[in-house]
Amino acid sequence: MSSNSKHIEIRILEPDEKEDATRNVVLFLALTVLTAAADILINQSRNSKDEKEVKVDYDPAVMVFLIEFIKLGLNFLLLSVCLKDVKRAVEVSKYEIFSNWVETFKCSVPAFIYVIQNNLSYLALTYLDPGTFEITLQLKLLTTALLMRLILDKRLNIYQWASLTILLIGVCIVESEEFGLFNENFSLKEAKGAEHLLIKSRLNATSNILSDQKSGSFNFIKGVLAAVSMTFMSALAGVYFEKLLKETKSKDSTTISGKNRKGSEATGVNKLWIRNIQMFLFSVPIAFIGIVLKRQDRKSTDLLEGFDFLAWLVVAAGVSVGLTTSLTLKYLNNIYKNFASSVSIVLASLSAMFFAGKDYGINFFIGSTLVFGSLFMYYRSGR
């Protein structure tokens, strides 16, 4: 055989690598389907009405609080199951939260970034029509990759950057079909998406402002700057939390109350639950403050007013999405989380087409093709 002959190397995946690959695929598909399901449930829960009686909508702020509170309890339950001892789970939690208070304080950062993000969204919705706002939010697809490069030193090749750009274009086309780009007659009922629960309430809060202004009178630059800043805040919270999940190395020799922890595998999984608990200890009070500040807008004192079966399904979906997102950040990364979110937008829209008879133009199918094509391109170019 000549020296110029090409050699083809075939590497067979080890069993552990196959398990990791299968786990990652399952996580991605689960996050995609759950996010799409949450989108559909939210849309149905806010729009379904009984012809015989007027439906009272639930308070989105209460919904967010319930989701955060249940996630806090669920993560402690998962920690207890992994440790096979509730008492031991309490000991681990006490040590990690109070003795290791520096790490706990680090977990407060995403919660406070979330507060800044909420305020920016109020500002953006004051000066932008909802269609432009939704389209601008998709810039998080690129800002996330940029922050991952700066914070996590995640290097993307030119094909991966190209795939993210194609994804951005595709999602914007799909969203423009769904919401109507620069549409002054945007209906508040059309707002959808698990991550936009509070956006619905902000749309209601700013509806008077929107009705009194024409699109040409919007302070466009100020609104766009606020929306772009919001995408950076959203990306920063996700990338920062991913850093917290991945930088902590499990130590078999760590002791709590004179007892050794379990092996590195169990400890590694437990770290995920601990990180979530530490973060929710801040996000739950912040969500409760949001309820207190918004109760003046509602006449009823019943926090669970409007919570029917569909509303509780939304809570369950929100909790499931939150847990799956944490696992995705630990074993994959924020870019795949954004891909899952983008694909879920397409799936939710397709469900509306097949089951609700909603019509879409050719642009929707072009955008959907770009979304799925960019996912394939990103995966192939990163192998």
Side-chain angles (χ1 to χ4, degrees):
M1 184 180 294
S2 64
S3 59
N4 293 328
S5 299
K6 294 183 178 179
H7 296 278
I8 300 177
E9 179 182 355
I10 300 177
R11 187 174 71 87
I12 301 177
L13 292 177
E14 297 295 331
D16 288 344
E17 292 178 303
K18 290 182 179 179
E19 291 179 3
D20 290 345
T22 302
R23 176 202 63 205
N24 293 343
V25 171
V26 170
L27 276 176
F28 179 81
L29 293 177
L31 182 59
T32 302
V33 173
L34 287 172
T35 305
D39 292 348
I40 296 169
L41 287 171
I42 289 172
N43 188 51
Q44 290 298 314
S45 67
R46 302 292 285 186
N47 295 338
S48 61
K49 289 182 179 291
D50 191 334
E51 295 180 356
K52 298 181 179 180
E53 60 182 32
V54 178
K55 176 179 171 60
V56 179
D57 287 335
Y58 56 79
D59 187 347
V62 176
M63 176 74 73
V64 171
F65 170 78
L66 288 174
I67 291 175
E68 295 299 296
F69 183 79
I70 294 174
K71 285 193 292 187
L72 173 61
L74 180 60
N75 276 272
F76 179 78
L77 177 62
L78 290 170
L79 178 64
S80 301
V81 170
C82 288
L83 294 176
K84 299 180 181 178
D85 187 348
V86 175
K87 182 179 179 181
R88 183 169 174 75
V90 172
E91 292 177 350
V92 172
S93 300
K94 287 173 59 178
Y95 174 82
E96 293 286 356
I97 293 171
F98 299 107
S99 299
N100 201 9
W101 62 270
V102 174
E103 296 299 318
T104 301
F105 181 75
K106 288 181 180 179
C107 291
S108 70
V109 175
F112 287 108
I113 291 177
Y114 182 66
V115 174
I116 299 174
Q117 178 184 337
N118 284 343
N119 284 280
L120 287 171
S121 67
Y122 276 107
L123 180 62
L125 282 167
T126 302
Y127 297 109
L128 292 178
D129 63 279
T132 306
F133 176 76
E134 287 290 338
I135 298 297
T136 307
L137 281 185
Q138 302 310 317
L139 286 175
K140 67 181 180 180
L141 300 172
L142 296 181
T143 57
T144 297
L146 176 61
L147 290 177
M148 288 183 67
R149 175 67 180 90
L150 296 175
I151 297 175
L152 299 177
D153 197 27
K154 170 71 174 178
R155 299 174 184 271
L156 302 181
N157 58 47
I158 188 172
Y159 299 104
Q160 289 174 316
W161 279 109
S163 66
L164 291 177
T165 303
I166 294 173
L167 175 65
L168 173 62
I169 296 172
V171 175
C172 287
I173 293 175
V174 171
E175 289 281 44
S176 66
E177 282 284 301
E178 182 70 29
F179 291 97
L181 186 59
F182 306 113
N183 183 8
E184 296 182 40
N185 298 318
F186 176 82
S187 172
L188 297 177
K189 297 178 182 179
E190 294 177 2
K192 67 182 182 63
E195 65 184 77
H196 300 320
L197 271 173
L198 287 180
I199 288 178
K200 295 184 186 67
S201 62
R202 292 174 209 135
L203 284 171
N204 283 310
T206 57
S207 59
N208 293 332
I209 298 176
L210 292 173
S211 62
D212 294 337
Q213 300 183 49
K214 296 181 179 180
S215 59
S217 64
F218 286 155
N219 192 330
F220 189 76
I221 296 179
K222 185 180 293 186
V224 168
L225 288 177
V228 172
S229 299
M230 182 181 171
T231 66
F232 271 97
M233 291 294 101
S234 176
L236 179 60
V239 173
Y240 181 85
F241 191 62
E242 179 182 342
K243 178 178 175 64
L244 290 180
L245 292 178
K246 292 180 176 178
E247 73 178 359
T248 304
K249 302 299 181 181
S250 301
K251 297 181 181 180
D252 298 340
S253 59
T254 304
T255 59
I256 299 176
S257 301
K259 299 179 181 180
N260 288 330
R261 290 188 187 180
K262 293 191 174 183
S264 58
E265 181 180 357
T267 304
V269 173
N270 291 341
K271 271 296 182 183
L272 173 62
W273 316 136
I274 286 293
R275 282 285 180 261
N276 283 339
I277 290 172
Q278 289 170 318
M279 183 176 67
F280 294 142
L281 285 176
F282 293 94
S283 63
V284 169
I286 290 174
F288 183 76
I289 293 174
I291 294 177
V292 174
L293 295 177
K294 284 191 60 60
R295 289 315 294 175
Q296 58 187 4
D297 298 334
R298 299 179 74 94
K299 297 179 181 180
S300 175
T301 57
D302 183 10
L303 294 179
L304 298 181
E305 180 186 25
F307 274 79
D308 54 10
F309 179 71
L310 273 176
W312 286 109
L313 283 181
V314 173
V315 173
V319 172
S320 301
V321 169
L323 179 61
T324 310
T325 298
S326 297
L327 290 167
T328 302
L329 292 183
K330 180 174 177 63
Y331 296 111
L332 288 168
N333 56 49
N334 270 281
I335 293 177
Y336 278 106
K337 184 197 79 170
N338 286 341
F339 266 109
S341 177
S342 300
V343 174
S344 71
I345 292 174
V346 177
L347 295 181
S349 298
L350 287 174
S351 71
M353 181 177 67
F354 287 112
F355 299 106
K358 189 167 184 177
D359 294 327
Y360 292 103
I362 188 63
N363 288 340
F364 171 79
F365 297 99
I366 294 175
S368 300
T369 302
L370 291 176
V371 169
F372 286 106
S374 65
L375 172 61
F376 179 77
M377 180 179 179
Y378 184 87
Y379 171 73
R380 292 293 298 181
S381 60
R383 292 184 62 179

